[in-house]
Amino acid sequence: MAGAAPAQERLDTVVRIVAQSMVAEVCSIYLRRASGELELFATQGLKPEAVHNTRLRPGEGLVGEVARMAEPISLSDAPSHPSFAYRPETGEDPYHAFLGAPLLRGGRAIGVLVVQNRSERRYDEEEVEDIQTIAMVLAETVASGELLAQDELRDIEVAPHRPENLKGQRFAEGLAFGHVVLHEAPVPPENLLAEDQQVEEIRLREALVGLKANIDSMLEGGPGKLAGQSFEVLETYRMFADDRGWNRSLEEAVRTGLTAEAAVDRVRNEHRARFATARDPYIRERLHDFEDLANRLLRVLAGDRPGERDLPDDAILVARNLGPADLLEYPRHKIRGLLLEEGSAASHAAIVARALQIPCVGRLMGLRDRLSEGDLVIVDGETGEAYLRPRPDMLAAVRSRIEVRSERQAEFTRLRGVDAVTLDGTRITVLTNAGLAVDLENLDATGAEGIGLFRTEFQFMVSEELPRLDAQTALYKLVLDTAGDRPVTFRTLDIGGDKVLPYLETEREENPAMGRRAIRLGLDRPGLLRLQLRALLTAAAGRELRVMFPMIATVDEFRAARELVDVECAWARRRGRALPALLRIGAMIECPSLLWHLDALLPLTDFVSVGTNDLFQYMFAADRTNPLVSDRYDPLSPPALRALAEIQKKCADTGTPVSVCGELAGRPLEAFALLTLGFTRLSAPAGGVGPVKRMILSADLPAARRGMANLLGSSSASIRGELESLARKLNITI
Ligand code: PEP
Ligand code: MG
């Protein structure tokens, strides 16, 4: 179909050859203009003057109907069909038999190929197949610009190209722009027509066997082995992979003379077109399943692995969701951002994205329907938005925001080696939060003085099975080795709630945030907690070990947890194993109940750390993972700050070391409030260390404390504005 001849001549040749080979009196090609109208581009048999003059609205006439339905229509007597629209300029009145097939691209009809016969003949199945195959090849060649010159193509809609803005949720902060790389991306078939049909049939059959074996191996081990919904999704894939209709369509397509890849692509396009018009979300979901399955099959045919994919240097990875290892399989330095259709901030992909500092926005409904491979997109991890195919002014604004960020970053880098001391000489310890081995780089990169919260459950969450004792020990050892003299506080497993381990059977709970999570699970299943304590004690042999327990709600829980440490120490001692040189056991203050029992708790602890994320979700009864309620209260409010002041005071009175390790500690204004309340030990997410340190270096605490004392008495729900004014007045860099 390609060639050096002018476009019109090439199209004219196509219709002439098709008419001849199908023994049809008419063959015509209609292409969709940007207006949505289908314009007659070439014909053999209809009046030549109708070319570029006859235009049909979507749904108008049989041609419009083929495009609207994205399905072939075959009729022996077209004029008697209710959709038949007679256009006198075409001179088509003598023709009765009609066969039309859509030119499909990305599930949309970009044109229609029609053959017509004078007699009332019926086109047989093979002819319908043939015309679909030719339509498919035509669609590819039209869209690739091989058939029409680019300036003629410009007006023809081959893909959605409008700028769009989608609102989702922030999963990992940061800002990036780049070009879309679809995870499980369709591999466009390079060769459409088979050189040897039998070879292609065998290739297809073998690829199907390979695909099924591949899914089977992923499904092995049952639902416990796979993360989250992946098992169900894969089970559905497996069902579809066996779907007779799908298999038959593929076989038929390859038998029409297509390569195996082209056959898969054609069936995928047909499915997509059929489902794309479906409103029912369930059916649309199934469309995705078929889509993914076809993409997997194309990958099997291409012998391709994601890690080996040739990515652009500015890749924005787009996926429905990602499994534990998927993101790590890509070359990190090429991934600028991540957009997910599903997921939650606690999902694996989000955890890994934060650890790798890749901006990520999730829960973007309908994302994959609106994007094509290679589209330009902006990932705004600050507002939780994605801008698809942004206008130049939008892109320019984002570029300058990125520049400002990187200038600030350079300033934070300069502060790495500087001690965090306020203007009045108060030494503040700024630590960082971590959870994966990749986070350890952040210690040097940020200049944090240690790890104030090591979330041990992350290792469990990104594993496909329960990490064994040696794997846990190895990670803790690596953390301690990397930290060297810098202190590390390990928080024991905080699973349950929104952090679900698919391989660990737990009961379904109506209200998991208040369910059997964290220390509750640890105490109910002491085997799990003891194994972890054993790994920690082994890893820290001969050095300092700091361990804290999450979600302590009663003093008895802390006692029981501490006893387990004693039991493990005794066990190690009996076996002559080396123990840590220094053991410090602490409690996280995350349950409001403790506020009225600090006098009983604090003497039992070596230190405490305030987990403001949970403490405030329980104080304000607002689920931190639910965007409808999570922003309903402001932590910078008198009740929240008074609670913190109370904790700080009780700790100071009893000489109990205290830190704050919620997200709050990483935001300069909030951290400023914490300093005014007397906290001197903060553990911030890596991105917050620099900004908080910069704030500390500019703060004059005695003056700030006087201002804060008045604000705590306020009757407002939030004192954010007042605090901002105070910081401004005192020249504090927020
Ligand atoms: C917290 O609740 O504040 C906390 C630090 O723990 P996590 O965010 O892991 O629940
Ligand atoms: Mg917590």
Side-chain angles (χ1 to χ4, degrees), residues 107-342:
R108 293 157 48 85
I110 60 160
V112 176
L113 174 66
V114 176
V115 290
Q116 288 171 285
N117 280 80
R118 215 175 281 259
S119 60
E120 281 196 25
R121 59 163 293 201
R122 273 189 192 286
Y123 299 100
D124 62 26
E125 244 181 62
E126 214 167 286
E127 285 171 310
V128 178
E129 286 284 351
D130 285 348
I131 196 96
Q132 280 180 276
T133 304
I134 300 167
M136 176 188 174
V137 178
L138 258 176
E140 288 301 320
T141 36
V142 165
S144 67
E146 278 176 57
L147 195 62
L148 292 177
Q150 281 305 323
D151 52 341
E152 288 166 290
L153 250 184
R154 201 177 305 132
D155 250 9
I156 297 173
E157 261 196 305
V158 291
H161 54 256
R162 282 173 298 112
E164 273 186 85
N165 177 11
L166 283 185
K167 181 90 184 114
Q169 281 180 24
R170 289 174 298 185
F171 281 6
E173 78 130 54
L175 195 60
F177 65 89
H179 291 92
V180 167
V181 170
L182 296 170
H183 177 68
E184 299 288 344
V187 189
E190 270 179 27
N191 299 319
L192 298 174
L193 300 177
E195 277 177 22
D196 182 335
Q197 191 185 316
Q198 267 184 346
V199 169
E200 294 305 316
E201 282 181 33
I202 294 168
R203 286 186 65 230
L204 177 69
R205 222 171 298 136
E206 283 176 353
L208 277 166
V209 171
L211 172 81
K212 289 172 196 175
N214 179 272
I215 302 175
D216 281 343
S217 75
M218 283 193 261
L219 281 168
E220 250 165 50
K225 199 164 169 266
L226 281 161
Q229 295 159 327
S230 319
F231 185 79
E232 282 161 41
V233 170
L234 278 177
E235 251 192 343
T236 320
Y237 282 166
R238 187 65 182 86
M239 243 167 55
F240 283 143
D242 269 336
D243 183 275
R244 277 216 210 127
W246 190 62
N247 281 271
R248 202 180 322 114
S249 309
L250 289 170
E251 282 160 22
E252 280 168 8
V254 87
R255 260 186 242 126
T256 64
L258 294 176
T259 58
E261 287 87 350
V264 178
D265 198 38
R266 175 171 136 190
V267 173
R268 187 172 66 98
N269 259 323
E270 286 166 9
H271 259 110
R272 202 174 178 195
R274 221 163 293 154
F275 280 96
T277 49
R279 292 245 175 84
D280 184 335
Y282 177 80
I283 294 182
R284 292 181 65 82
E285 249 332 277
R286 299 287 73 80
L287 157 72
H288 286 317
D289 291 338
F290 265 124
E291 181 87 13
D292 284 355
L293 193 62
N295 290 338
R296 266 172 202 267
L297 189 55
L298 287 172
R299 294 214 163 283
V300 176
L301 280 164
D304 180 50
R305 304 232 344 112
E308 290 157 14
R309 282 176 64 184
D310 191 20
L311 300 185
D313 288 338
D314 63 348
I316 303 287
L317 195 60
V318 173
R320 170 152 68 177
N321 213 341
L322 290 177
D326 287 341
L327 186 54
L328 294 168
E329 232 179 339
Y330 285 97
R332 159 70 188 101
H333 58 285
K334 292 196 170 180
I335 305 280
R336 282 213 195 156
L338 177 61
L339 295 175
L340 299 175
E341 196 160 298
E342 298 178 347

Side-chain angles (χ1 to χ4, degrees), residues 1 13-24 27 113-115 131 134 138:
M1 288 187 186
T13 311
V14 171
V15 287
R16 204 177 50 246
I17 295 173
V18 175
Q20 246 170 28
S21 61
M22 303 261 316
V23 201
C27 175
L113 174 66
V114 176
V115 290
I131 196 96
I134 300 167
L138 258 176

Side-chain angles (χ1 to χ4, degrees), residues 676 701-712 723 726 729-730:
T676 65
L701 291 183
R705 277 194 192 118
R706 283 192 295 277
M708 180 62 141
N710 294 331
L711 295 178
L712 283 182
L723 261 176
L726 180 64
K729 201 174 95 195
L730 300 175

Side-chain angles (χ1 to χ4, degrees), residues 10 34 49 76 127 346 391 393 421 461 503 539 551 554 560 596 646-647 667 696:
R10 269 175 280 151
E49 52 273 30
S76 55
E127 285 171 310
R391 275 184 261 274
D393 52 341
V421 183
M461 289 170 72
Y503 47 80
M551 294 293 301
T554 69
W596 293 274
E646 181 71 15
I647 296 169
R667 296 186 212 122
I696 292 168

